[in-house]
Amino acid sequence: MAVYKRGYQRYQGPLTGHWTRLFSLPRFSWERLFQQRLVVLLLTASLIWPLLCGLFIYLSNHLEIFASLTNNRGQDGGLAKFMEINPRFFLIFMNFQSTFSVLLAALAGPGLIAPDLANNALPLYLSRPLTRKDYVLARLLVLVGLLSTITWVPGLMLFGIQSGMAGWDWMLDHARMAAALLFGFLLWILMVSLVALACSAYVKWKIVAGALVLGFFFVTAGVATMVNAVFRVDWGVLLNPAKAMYVVWSDMLGADPPDGPGSMACAVALLVLVGLLGVVLERKLRPVEVIK
């Protein structure tokens, strides 16, 4: 049959669902990320601290090991207080892992959007049954899945280890900390991921975008410190997303918050930042660009 006699016919094969199409982008992105040695090395290094925290939990529940090494058991009260698993312990864990999450996002995030914009591949994506929101959500899921492996997943595992050793009553009394680990880290992952995606969309070069992600947190910390020093105030913390998140985590875990604005003010500042990052993505991710 001649080619010109073949009329248009609608595709009659099986159709994939919306979520299947959406998760196809993260699936290939994760495969490419784990082929990068720096990403694998940093991901491995970021799991060392959770392992050390797990060892600390074990020792805190077996203080008889230290008691057997000392002749005077009456001096173990200070050691027991020092090795107590409390909100302060998980706050230190969250603060430490948040640093690794920023480094990992700076390494993995710029390669998600910048190459698509540099090679004009965005119209190709959006010509498929994917909207701009689907595209951003798919790229966001890449970082959420990657950063979850070093944040709330090991955090909940540590909480489970402590609950198994301390007993059912301890878990019920401290269930608030499990919720704080989950939702506190998810809020942090959302903010860090949006920073990485916004930098990747704003700068089309991967190396420059990665440096911009790190510079964002260093510059905001410096600006917040300068504002507090020059104006002799404490609300400059609101300009530092890492410090503001620390205040929110302290309140969620039930630990003593640092001096300065409360957790509600810090949460509002973080939400405003998330909104601004969303605006940047909305303006930069366009299928066509009009040049005047």
Side-chain angles (χ1 to χ4, degrees), residues 38-277:
L38 289 178
V39 173
V40 175
L41 289 176
L42 185 58
L43 185 64
T44 304
S46 62
L47 296 177
I48 296 177
W49 180 246
L51 291 176
L52 295 177
C53 291
L55 178 61
F56 185 87
I57 291 175
Y58 176 81
L59 294 176
S60 67
N61 288 275
H62 294 82
L63 293 178
E64 64 274 7
I65 298 177
F66 300 97
S68 62
L69 300 177
T70 59
N71 296 325
N72 189 357
R73 294 175 179 266
Q75 298 178 356
D76 294 338
L79 180 61
K81 185 177 180 180
F82 170 75
M83 302 193 68
E84 181 182 2
I85 306 300
N86 51 23
R88 187 69 180 175
F89 167 81
F90 286 105
L91 185 60
I92 295 175
F93 168 79
M94 297 178 73
N95 193 43
F96 199 92
Q97 290 301 104
S98 65
T99 303
F100 274 105
S101 65
V102 172
L103 296 176
L104 195 58
L107 190 61
L112 297 177
I113 295 182
D116 295 338
L117 295 178
N119 298 302
N120 296 322
L122 190 59
L124 182 63
Y125 282 107
L126 299 182
S127 64
R128 269 60 177 174
L130 288 174
T131 63
R132 283 193 297 172
K133 294 181 180 179
D134 293 335
Y135 177 81
V136 174
L137 180 59
R139 296 310 187 191
L140 189 63
L141 288 175
V142 177
L143 292 177
V144 170
L146 183 65
L147 299 183
S148 295
T149 59
I150 65 171
T151 52
W152 64 267
V153 172
L156 291 182
M157 292 178 64
L158 292 176
F159 182 83
I161 293 173
Q162 171 62 18
S163 300
M165 292 185 178
W168 181 259
D169 293 336
W170 186 93
M171 184 182 70
L172 294 179
D173 294 337
H174 299 83
R176 172 182 180 179
M177 292 192 296
L181 286 169
L182 177 60
F183 295 105
F185 267 136
L186 287 178
L187 180 58
W188 173 257
I189 290 174
L190 175 62
M191 186 195 67
V192 173
S193 299
L194 287 177
V195 170
L197 293 181
C199 294
S200 180
Y202 196 80
V203 181
K204 297 181 180 180
W205 295 277
K206 293 171 58 176
I207 298 179
V208 178
L212 188 61
V213 173
L214 297 178
F216 173 84
F217 290 95
F218 282 107
V219 170
T220 52
V223 170
T225 302
M226 182 179 64
V227 169
N228 287 338
V230 172
F231 296 99
R232 297 180 180 180
V233 294
D234 55 7
W235 53 263
V237 175
L238 301 177
L239 303 177
N240 185 356
K243 191 67 175 180
M245 187 65 70
Y246 183 85
V247 176
V248 174
W249 286 345
S250 300
D251 184 68
M252 295 177 67
L253 289 168
D256 295 332
D259 297 333
S263 60
M264 185 60 65
C266 292
V268 172
L270 292 173
L271 292 177
V272 171
L273 175 61
V274 169
L276 292 176
L277 294 173

Side-chain angles (χ1 to χ4, degrees), residues 10-17 21:
R10 184 178 181 181
Y11 175 72
Q12 301 295 330
L15 298 177
T16 58
R21 297 192 300 268

